[in-house]
């Protein structure tokens, strides 16, 4: 729902006139801003600034009780501030903890984070890591070219002649009816044993490679068998590479024929439905097989294109879009007599996931009508490619035309726009079954350095919409060594379960010649790839010396993050790369735009900025200062950045040499170690330890009690200087164990928490200790045991003073249950330590307030009584002001935090709503606070969210748009021999493979078995304190239902104190502010492409070579159907037996002889 403009609340600096006294709760007239007509003001008010006065709600000469005056409410606010400060001083122990650190000064050293040195070191380490993968890639590519060059083509090769491990041999690929798509004995398939390897998160066999062949490719074809034959020799190179670098992960050769050979061998992760994986459509293969592309797709939508043919065209365009990466630019237009874009995009746009989604949705709306006008379509396409006023790839330029046929060759258009240089390649696609002369389409492609393809049925779509990459690869092959450059990809999901990876790619060329003196072969054999897991790169970055709010990030030339703490997609589709822009990973502002541009340009830099950051729980916004430092990672397309808050310039490093290194005993024998033992918890408080990788042999666990047990058991065996442990983490943990125990001894143990209505006191440290006192309070402790992942910890470091954190409540869940005083409100503050001129914040301390008891205390503090005397209630015949205690039937008093969440209220019925966004409690009042600038709103989008899958819109049993023959047709022999019958058989045959034709969810068909949710965009809205800092009075203008309210920030806290009249009627419900995350389509793509974000493409481009032979440009091919084959196929279909996939016959098959 749209949020109303700031019109509902008006501030009144002067007096207010009201009607007669109102002992009842009837409506009151609207206050007059001109002030009272008569009646003297109270003398006490003269002491206050005139502009801050709010007059009494009394009529002249009448007796009534009044809305509290400004100075009264300021007095209440001071009492609240003093009470909070007093409790935190006594129980928080900030000053005492400072003294404890200073008393133990000999046990630690203060180290400095030097941003420039740090970021350069990490960049160098990442460069070294990737360089080792590059050397392995080059060995593989060189070996592959030599093996293929030495290979002898065999025309009569048979399946039983080739022995290999078929990765899908043991997988059961079921069709939707539960029948196996493929069965039978695999005489050529090896049987292997596998062992679990944590590095691969999989079972592997290091002695063999595995082969994956797409479902729609016939494994027994001569081309595939020859491919399997020569690539077998790669096995030894894979093994040798691993011997030289044991950290290597997947080594993969993706062949242009569709065969994937990878090492080490592991069974294929078969999806639930049909496996549509094809290496040629993987992001890393597309990037490595060709240079960036500017592509215009034009689709014939004349009247002759209808029914099945139009459906084929729509599907073909969508498949074509899937062959494009973020380095490419594209537009799609339809044409008949005129050409027009199918979407709102009027020029070439980046082929990113969101833009391609717009195209795919728009293509479905194409309607066939009119007459064919090739000239209109091609002129539109050439105009698009000649537009130099937009961002584009500026490399390969091409036009892809889909049509059902025509006679016009539009030679005049080519002469005008493309000849004689022929800088634009033209690819033509004849779609559907028809009897048109295809010669004009072949001519267009052949005279413009392109290729002609035929798509007679759905089974030909995937293979013929990706073969154009072979043509684009020609200039790369002819460029030879110059084009043999390693490229690194965007982040994407590994298909074999490794998680998020980047891949180094290197093209593999065909070096054969047909004979002496013949032209050089210009076919690309495929792409070699080696994966690098993001976790391996993260291990090279400093983890805990940067503090809770410091981090390292990296971006590529598109501005997409490679590393970032906010890169955590909830669900991934391995068909698409994970493209999170740096400006979407953080809250965008002008400073970050400049930093991003500088990093993309490969510059070094440093800048201190004031910016906004989201809290870890995404409920709050903080305005903070951050130092950004960045350098390029040489020999890659990446740039590395370091972000540090000023308070993280220094950090503590434990120096326990006197206690540890001189005594070669297990760590468990150390003095402070005993305070980690559960036996000490009753007297010293419960200890949670951060689940960090202290030692290699430490067993991780999500249960902190179990993790602590594992840790203690390991420490019984490990000496302090053991090389298997991270001494920095281990020593700091022990140091902070002792530090926090002394806090218990000096402060907490002798205090009575119940006196001040506290449920617990606590301390958390950079070293990974969270100590909660008393021990029983740990039962209700729900904060993350890793302080760096706890929202209260990170926010306390970024904010001065006391940070209140009410329990989180979702508006859809039931209210809090106030039983046994277990519901509490956290109050925390950072401990700032100054040692000489070095300042740092190594810990956070706080208390947990008993919600119900403090709500009662809140009412007393915001009341008129000064001692323990009984409160005096104002009545209609008395001259006094209302307060929050005795007049809670008429007066609403609340504390709201800086995110707009309710913390305390004087209304008992609102206690179970503590933690909710205040608009859900009192929409009218929250809107007024927003309109009066107490709060500012920040909207952003989460592009990594996961949403439940949408139910299919059509559950019909038959595919749409498919011709269904009648009984008479089946009995007619002429029909059986017709092209229509053959087309139907192909549709049914490939419909079994392409389940999406039958309305299956593509993600479900190709995704992992566990995929139950799909990625989506969520709109997030957070509120934070605005510019108003002073005390403020205002009227919520609702006519006869207007309300007075007062709001004031509490000093040294993140709280807003609000006193308001309770609403009299519901006539002022002008609108409700929304804070809840909502599903969204994201920002309007049509507007975003008009102001594209800065990016740079790859530094090299191979789109032209004078020696290119363009004579192989497609001549078309088709199956010569026979009656016997057709009858057999039909019988198979009628019997419910899945037919065996037939080999794809296309014009590239002959040229694939290796």
């Amino acid at each position: 729902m749209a949020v109303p403009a700031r019109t509902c609340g008006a501030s009144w600096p002067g007096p207010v006139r009201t009607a007669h006294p109102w002992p009842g709760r009837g409506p009151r007239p609207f206050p007059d801003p001109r002030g009272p007509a008569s009646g003297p003001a109270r003398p006490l008010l003269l002491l206050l600034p005139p502009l801050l006065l709010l007059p009494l709600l009394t009529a002249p000469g009448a007796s009534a009780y009044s809305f509290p005056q400004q100075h009264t409410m300021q007095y209440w606010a001071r009492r609240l501030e003093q009470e909070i400060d007093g409790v935190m001083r006594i129980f928080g122990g900030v000053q005492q903890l400072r003294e404890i650190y200073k008393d133990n000064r000999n046990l630690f050293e203060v180290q400095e984070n030097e941003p420039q040195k740090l970021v350069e070191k990490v960049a160098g380490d990442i460069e070294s890591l990737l360089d080792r993968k590059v050397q392995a890639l080059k060995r593989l590519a060189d070996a592959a070219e030599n093996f293929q060059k030495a290979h002898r083509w065999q025309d009569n090769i048979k399946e039983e002649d080739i022995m290999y491990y078929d990765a899908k041999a043991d997988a059961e690929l079921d069709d939707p009816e539960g029948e196996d798509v493929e069965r039978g004995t695999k005489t050529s398939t090896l049987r292997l044993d596998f062992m679990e390897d944590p590095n691969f998160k999989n079972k592997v066999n290091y002695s063999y490679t595995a082969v994956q062949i797409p479902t729609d490719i016939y494994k027994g074809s001569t081309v595939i068998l020859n491919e399997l034959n020569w690539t077998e020799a790669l096995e030894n190179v894979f093994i040798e590479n691993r011997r030289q670098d044991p950290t290597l992960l997947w080594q993969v050769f993706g062949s242009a024929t569709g065969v994937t050979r990878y090492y080490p061998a592991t069974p294929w992760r078969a999806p639930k439905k049909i496996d549509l994986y094809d290496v040629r459509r993987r992001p890393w293969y597309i990037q490595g097989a060709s240079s960036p592309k500017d592509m215009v797709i034009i689709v014939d939508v004349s009247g002759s294109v209808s029914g099945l043919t139009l459906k084929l065209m729509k599907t073909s365009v969508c498949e074509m879009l899937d062959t494009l990466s973020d380095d490419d630019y594209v537009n799609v237009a339809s044409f008949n007599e005129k050409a027009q874009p199918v979407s709102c995009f009027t020029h070439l746009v980046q082929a990113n996931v969101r833009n391609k989604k717009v195209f795919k949705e728009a293509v479905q709306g194409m309607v066939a009508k009119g007459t064919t006008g090739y000239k209109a379509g091609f002129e539109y396409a050439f105009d698009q490619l000649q537009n130099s006023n937009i961002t584009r790839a500026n490399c390969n330029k091409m036009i892809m035309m889909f049509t059902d046929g025509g006679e016009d060759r539009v030679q005049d258009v080519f002469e005008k726009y493309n000849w004689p240089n022929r800088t634009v390649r033209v690819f033509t696609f004849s779609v559907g079954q028809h009897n048109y002369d295809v010669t004009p389409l072949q001519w267009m492609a052949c005279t413009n350095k392109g290729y002609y393809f035929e798509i007679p049925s759905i089974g030909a779509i995937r293979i013929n919409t990706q073969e154009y990459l072979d043509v684009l690869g020609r200039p790369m092959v002819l460029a030879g060594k110059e084009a043999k450059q390693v490229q690194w990809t965007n982040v994407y999901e590994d298909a074999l379960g490794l998680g998020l990876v980047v891949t180094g790619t290197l093209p593999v060329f065909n070096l054969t010649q047909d004979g002496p003196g013949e032209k050089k072969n210009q076919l690309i054999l495929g792409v070699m790839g080696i994966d690098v897991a993001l976790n391996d790169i993260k291990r090279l970055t400093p983890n805990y010396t940067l503090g809770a709010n410091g981090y390292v990030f990296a971006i590529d030339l598109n501005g997409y993050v490679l590393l970032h703490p906010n890169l955590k997609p909830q669900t991934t589709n391995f068909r698409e790369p994970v493209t999170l822009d740096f400006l979407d990973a953080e809250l965008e502002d002008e400073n970050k735009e400049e930093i991003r541009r500088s990093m993309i340009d490969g510059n070094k830099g440093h800048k201190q900025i004031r910016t906004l950051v989201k809290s870890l729980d995404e409920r709050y916004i903080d305005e903070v200062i951050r130092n950004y430092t960045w350098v390029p990672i040489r020999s890659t397309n990446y740039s590395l950045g370091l972000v540090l808050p000023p308070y993280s310039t220094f950090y503590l490093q434990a120096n326990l040499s006197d206690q540890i290194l001189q005594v070669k005993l297990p760590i468990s024998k150390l003095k402070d170690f005993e305070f980690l033992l559960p036996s000490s918890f009753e007297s010293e408080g419960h200890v949670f330890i951060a689940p960090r990788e202290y030692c290699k042999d430490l067993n991780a666990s999500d249960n902190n009690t179990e993790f602590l047990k594992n840790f203690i058991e390991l420490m019984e065996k490990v000496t302090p200087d053991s090389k298997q442990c991270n001494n920095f983490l281990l020593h700091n943990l022990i140091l902070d164990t002792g530090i926090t125990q002394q806090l218990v001894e000096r402060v907490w143990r002798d205090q009575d928490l119940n006196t001040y209505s506290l449920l617990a006191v606590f301390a958390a440290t950079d070293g990974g200790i969270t100590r909660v006192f008393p021990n029983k309070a740990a039962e209700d402790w729900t904060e993350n045991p890793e302080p760096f992942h706890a929202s209260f910890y990170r926010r306390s470091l970024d904010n001065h003073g006391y940070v209140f954190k009410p329990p989180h409540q979702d508006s859809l869940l039931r209210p809090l249950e106030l039983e046994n005083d277990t519901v509490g409100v956290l109050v925390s503050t950072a401990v700032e330590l100054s040692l000489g001129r070095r300042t740092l914040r190594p810990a956070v301390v706080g208390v947990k307030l008993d919600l119900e008891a403090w709500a009662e205390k809140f009412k007393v503090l915001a009341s008129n009584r000064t001692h323990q005397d009984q409160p005096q209630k104002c009545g209609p015949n008395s001259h006094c002001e209302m307060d929050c205690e005795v007049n809670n039937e008429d007066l609403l008093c609340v504390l709201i935090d800086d995110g707009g969440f309710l913390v305390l209220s004087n209304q008992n019925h609102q206690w179970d709503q503590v933690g909710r966004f205040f608009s859900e409690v009192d929409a009218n009042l929250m809107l007024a606070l927003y309109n009066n600038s107490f709060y500012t709103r920040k909207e952003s989008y989460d592009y990594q969210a996961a949403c439940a899958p949408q139910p299919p819109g059509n559950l019909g049993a038959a595919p749409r748009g498919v011709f269904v023959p009648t009984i008479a047709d089946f009995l007619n022999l002429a029909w059986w021999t017709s092209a229509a019958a053959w087309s139907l058989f192909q549709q049914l045959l490939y419909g079994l493979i392409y389940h999406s034709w039958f309305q299956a969810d593509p993600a479900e068909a190709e995704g992992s078995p566990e995929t139950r949710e799909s990625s989506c965009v969520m709109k997030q809205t957070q509120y934070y304190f605005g510019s108003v800092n002073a005390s403020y009075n205002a009227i919520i203008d609702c006519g006869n239902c207007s309300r007075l309210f007062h709001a004031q920030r509490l000093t040294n806290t993140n709280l807003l104190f609000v006193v308001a009249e309770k609403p009299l009627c519901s006539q002022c419900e002008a609108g409700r502010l929304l804070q809840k995350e909502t599903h969204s389509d994201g920002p309007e793509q049509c507007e975003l492409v008009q102001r594209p974000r800065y990016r740079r493409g790859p530094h090299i481009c191979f789109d032209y070579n004078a020696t290119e032979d363009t004579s192989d440009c497609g001549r078309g091919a088709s199956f010569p159907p026979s009656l016997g084959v057709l009858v057999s196929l039909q019988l198979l279909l009628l019997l419910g037996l899945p037919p065996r996939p037939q080999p794809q016959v296309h014009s590239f098959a002959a040229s694939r002889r290796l």
Side-chain angles (χ1 to χ4, degrees), residues 243-393:
R243 189 191 67 79
Q244 294 189 31
D245 182 3
T247 66
L248 280 178
L249 297 176
W250 300 121
Q251 304 175 64
V252 188
F253 174 60
S255 168
T257 63
V259 173
T260 304
R261 188 179 285 271
Y262 60 90
Y263 175 87
T266 190
W268 191 248
R269 291 166 61 93
K272 282 183 177 179
K273 306 238 177 201
I274 303 302
D275 180 24
L276 298 182
Y277 179 94
D278 190 323
V279 69
R280 295 166 296 183
R281 290 178 173 269
R282 298 294 285 137
W284 64 270
Y285 184 95
I286 293 170
Q287 180 172 314
S290 63
S291 294
K293 302 173 279 293
D294 286 323
M295 176 187 291
V296 179
I297 302 173
I298 54 176
V299 187
D300 180 0
V301 292
S302 59
S304 62
V305 180
S306 60
L308 177 60
T309 302
L310 184 59
K311 172 71 176 178
L312 288 172
M313 285 187 180
K314 292 177 179 179
T315 306
S316 298
V317 172
C318 293
E319 292 290 336
M320 179 68 71
L321 289 169
D322 284 339
T323 67
L324 302 177
S325 72
D326 290 77
D327 289 333
D328 304 321
Y329 282 75
V330 64
N331 201 357
V332 182
S334 61
F335 69 90
N336 36 44
E337 302 93 338
K338 295 181 180 180
Q340 60 183 4
V342 298
S343 69
C344 58
F345 301 145
T346 58
H347 55 74
L348 292 171
V349 297
Q350 188 181 18
N352 58 39
V353 174
R354 291 191 287 278
N355 286 341
K356 287 192 287 188
K357 180 182 178 183
V358 172
F359 281 127
K360 290 178 181 180
E361 291 174 352
V363 162
Q364 301 308 315
M366 293 191 305
V367 178
K369 61 181 179 179
T371 59
T372 303
Y374 286 161
K375 184 173 183 179
F378 277 108
E379 285 184 338
Y380 179 88
F382 279 114
D383 286 340
Q384 289 277 299
L385 293 171
Q386 290 182 354
N387 185 356
S388 59
N389 296 323
I390 59 170
T391 304
R392 58 183 188 176

Side-chain angles (χ1 to χ4, degrees), residues 1 4 8 919 921-925 927 1036-1038 1041 1043 1063 1065-1073:
M1 185 179 85
C8 202
S919 186
V921 180
D922 191 328
N924 179 241
L925 183 53
L927 182 61
I1036 304 174
D1037 183 2
C1038 301
C1041 292
R1043 298 171 65 187
C1065 54
S1066 59
Q1067 296 177 12
C1068 199
E1069 291 294 330
R1072 180 186 295 270
L1073 296 177

Side-chain angles (χ1 to χ4, degrees), residues 30-50:
F30 181 71
D32 187 344
R34 292 172 298 179
S38 62
R42 294 189 175 185
L44 182 60
L45 299 180
L46 299 176
L47 301 176
L48 297 174

Side-chain angles (χ1 to χ4, degrees), residues 760-772:
V761 288
F762 61 89
T765 70
D766 278 358
I769 291 292
T770 301
R771 189 178 292 275
V772 180

Side-chain angles (χ1 to χ4, degrees), residues 986-1008:
Q986 284 189 313
Q987 293 152 22
L988 293 174
L989 173 63
Y990 289 104
L992 293 173
I993 297 175
Y994 293 91
H995 192 253
S996 60
W997 189 254
F998 290 84
Q999 307 308 311
D1001 183 358
E1004 193 176 4
E1006 192 166 354
S1008 65

Side-chain angles (χ1 to χ4, degrees), residues 830-994:
V831 177
E832 186 162 284
L833 190 61
S834 294
L835 300 170
R837 297 182 178 180
R838 297 170 294 184
T839 302
L840 61 159
R841 298 175 185 173
V844 168
V845 296
V847 301
K848 189 174 184 180
L849 308 180
D850 182 331
L851 174 60
E852 194 169 357
W854 270 78
E856 292 290 350
K857 181 178 293 191
F858 167 60
K859 290 192 287 187
V860 173
L861 292 171
S863 71
N864 293 325
R865 58 168 164 161
T866 56
H867 301 289
Q868 297 298 321
D869 57 326
Q870 291 297 317
Q872 299 296 318
K873 183 171 183 177
C874 289
N877 298 317
S878 61
H879 287 279
C880 62
E881 298 172 279
M882 293 187 291
D883 68 28
C884 299
E885 183 181 17
V886 298
N887 298 101
N888 59 358
E889 294 180 0
D890 303 312
L891 207 60
L892 171 68
C893 303
V894 291
L895 291 178
I896 312 172
D897 71 15
D898 55 331
F901 298 97
L902 179 63
V903 176
L904 289 175
S905 172
N906 73 329
Q907 305 296 311
N908 293 19
H909 69 276
Q910 291 181 352
W911 290 354
D912 62 357
Q913 299 183 68
V914 165
R916 287 194 172 177
F917 186 57
F918 192 59
S919 186
E920 298 168 11
V921 180
D922 191 328
N924 179 241
L925 183 53
M926 184 63 195
L927 182 61
L929 293 172
Y930 171 73
N931 286 338
N932 284 279
S933 299
F934 280 101
Y935 285 96
T936 300
R937 180 175 58 207
K938 181 67 178 179
E939 294 179 341
S940 59
Y941 294 93
D942 177 9
Y943 294 101
Q944 305 177 90
C947 296
Q950 296 293 324
N954 187 338
L955 299 177
R960 293 177 294 177
V962 175
F963 169 68
V964 180
T966 64
I967 297 297
D969 288 326
F970 277 109
L971 297 176
N972 187 340
L973 184 62
W975 182 87
W976 279 85
T977 58
S978 69
W982 177 239
S983 176
L984 174 63
F985 286 137
Q986 284 189 313
Q987 293 152 22
L988 293 174
L989 173 63
Y990 289 104
L992 293 173
I993 297 175
Y994 293 91

Side-chain angles (χ1 to χ4, degrees), residues 3 291 298 334 399 407 418 541 631 641 706 827 853 855 871-872 878 882 896 927 1045 1110 1152:
V3 177
S291 294
I298 54 176
S334 61
I399 298 172
E407 299 179 357
N418 203 36
T541 63
V631 298
E706 184 178 341
V827 188
Q872 299 296 318
S878 61
M882 293 187 291
I896 312 172
L927 182 61
F1045 76 91
T1110 61
R1152 276 289 162 211

